[in-house]
Amino acid sequence: MMKWYRKLYIGEKAKKDRFKFIWQVKHRHIVWNGYVITLASNEQNLLDIIQVTELLQPYYKNRELFIVGIAKGYDEALIVAKDIIDEVYQKTGEFNIRQFILNCQKGNMSSS
């Protein structure tokens, strides 16, 4: 099951086709060179960067993923992840990405 962050972080290259990109991920289609940035599967880590084609594997079929960002290319995915981490640190003085994102999703904090 995929959940999407309502204030999704989007890389520069992914912005142009963001609606198509999101539709393709939701419907489990291939997005060539597409990456999603998710809350980490291990709560002690910050984020996971997953190539969209990997999401087609059976392992992910019943996994809960909280997608917080999208990117075209691994380099852009690293930049988006860095931007998320930078923003959380600037606004909170901490690196608790999960808490920040979930609070923003509930409307308890502004991420803009």
Side-chain angles (χ1 to χ4, degrees):
M1 181 174 135
M2 286 185 233
K3 293 181 183 178
W4 291 77
Y5 185 43
R6 63 186 178 94
K7 296 180 179 180
L8 191 67
Y9 293 88
I10 304 171
E12 286 300 316
K13 294 177 188 171
K15 278 184 183 176
K16 185 179 101 178
D17 296 321
R18 67 184 173 274
F19 299 112
K20 180 179 178 183
F21 187 116
I22 293 166
W23 186 92
Q24 288 174 313
V25 172
K26 285 182 177 180
H27 293 90
R28 301 199 179 273
H29 289 236
I30 292 175
V31 179
W32 294 110
N33 206 22
Y35 288 81
V36 294
I37 297 90
T38 68
L39 291 182
S41 53
N42 174 344
E43 290 190 22
Q44 295 186 6
N45 293 337
L46 299 177
L47 298 164
D48 289 338
I49 297 173
I50 305 167
Q51 191 169 23
V52 173
T53 55
E54 191 175 324
L55 297 176
L56 302 175
Q57 298 297 317
Y59 172 82
Y60 288 100
K61 186 170 185 170
N62 296 316
R63 292 271 179 215
E64 190 169 308
L65 295 175
F66 193 106
I67 298 172
V68 297
I70 60 173
K72 285 283 193 147
Y74 187 71
D75 289 344
E76 183 169 270
L78 291 174
I79 292 168
V80 172
K82 178 198 75 69
D83 291 346
I84 295 168
I85 294 165
D86 284 348
E87 180 177 337
V88 172
Y89 185 76
Q90 291 297 318
K91 292 190 175 188
T92 68
E94 299 177 350
F95 293 103
N96 194 335
I97 307 294
R98 182 176 302 277
Q99 180 181 0
F100 179 82
I101 295 290
L102 294 177
N103 283 340
C104 289
Q105 186 76 357
K106 293 176 187 173
N108 297 340
M109 189 181 286
S110 174
S111 72
S112 301

